[in-house]
Amino acid sequence: MTSTPSETRPFHAADLGTLVVMAWSGEAPDGDMPYLLAYSLGDGADGPEGSTAAVEALLENNGLPVGGDLVDGKARPSLPVSLLVEAGSAVVSMPGFNAQCSPPPEWLAAVGERGFAYFVFTTRPWPEAEPGKPIEPEALAAFAGADETLNAAAHIVLPARSLRG
């Protein structure tokens, strides 16, 4: 039996910089779609380029292709990424990364309806979108919808779990 060696890229958490997760919902033909966007501010030890490389390594080491096909977490129960939705909060976890955000009520309703969120984890830094600073919907749409953002991201359909089962 032959196996291909699995090689992980070097990963240092300090190189990631500040990671942010943002939740919003958007209109889709079959109802609102809950989205999650994860990005770095690009303020890691080696600047924006280092943050980009570190996020890329984090994603690849967790089996999430950057710029590749959509990963269906519903069909891959062993996926090392999870989404817990509880008490008005969303928590995304994977080896090397845990983040929590407080999504708006319409996002909570959409994820409750669908049972999953569309998670985009981009390697493209967004230094202007700091935690606690308001982000205009136009700025979010411009960044999240940009080819540079989407082509530099892992795209995952992430099942939502709760403590109640």
Side-chain angles (χ1 to χ4, degrees):
M1 181 168 157
T2 314
S3 66
T4 307
S6 153
E7 186 176 320
T8 58
R9 290 178 50 188
F11 168 73
H12 305 286
D15 294 339
L16 291 169
T18 305
L19 292 177
V20 179
V21 172
M22 179 183 303
W24 79 97
S25 61
E27 292 180 25
D30 57 347
D32 276 356
M33 176 66 71
Y35 295 97
L36 286 168
L37 173 66
Y39 58 90
S40 171
L41 295 181
D43 58 353
D46 292 326
E49 294 81 16
S51 293
T52 295
V55 171
E56 195 171 277
L58 172 68
L59 294 171
E60 288 179 4
N61 291 348
N62 283 291
L64 302 171
V66 173
D69 294 331
L70 176 67
V71 175
D72 185 354
K74 297 181 296 184
R76 284 186 51 195
S78 63
L79 189 69
V81 185
S82 66
L83 170 61
L84 175 67
V85 179
E86 192 67 37
S89 290
V91 180
V92 179
S93 299
M94 67 174 24
F97 172 75
N98 291 302
Q100 178 176 339
C101 68
S102 298
E106 58 273 12
W107 184 91
L108 292 167
V111 83
E113 187 80 17
R114 291 186 180 267
F116 66 86
Y118 190 106
F119 181 43
V120 176
F121 198 151
T122 187
T123 65
R124 181 182 180 207
W126 193 16
E128 300 80 18
E130 296 178 41
K133 274 178 58 178
I135 297 172
E136 295 298 320
E138 299 79 20
L140 173 60
F143 181 81
D147 286 342
E148 299 90 350
T149 301
L150 296 172
N151 292 336
H155 298 260
I156 306 122
V157 172
L158 198 52
R161 295 177 173 83
S162 72
L163 295 177
R164 292 176 289 244

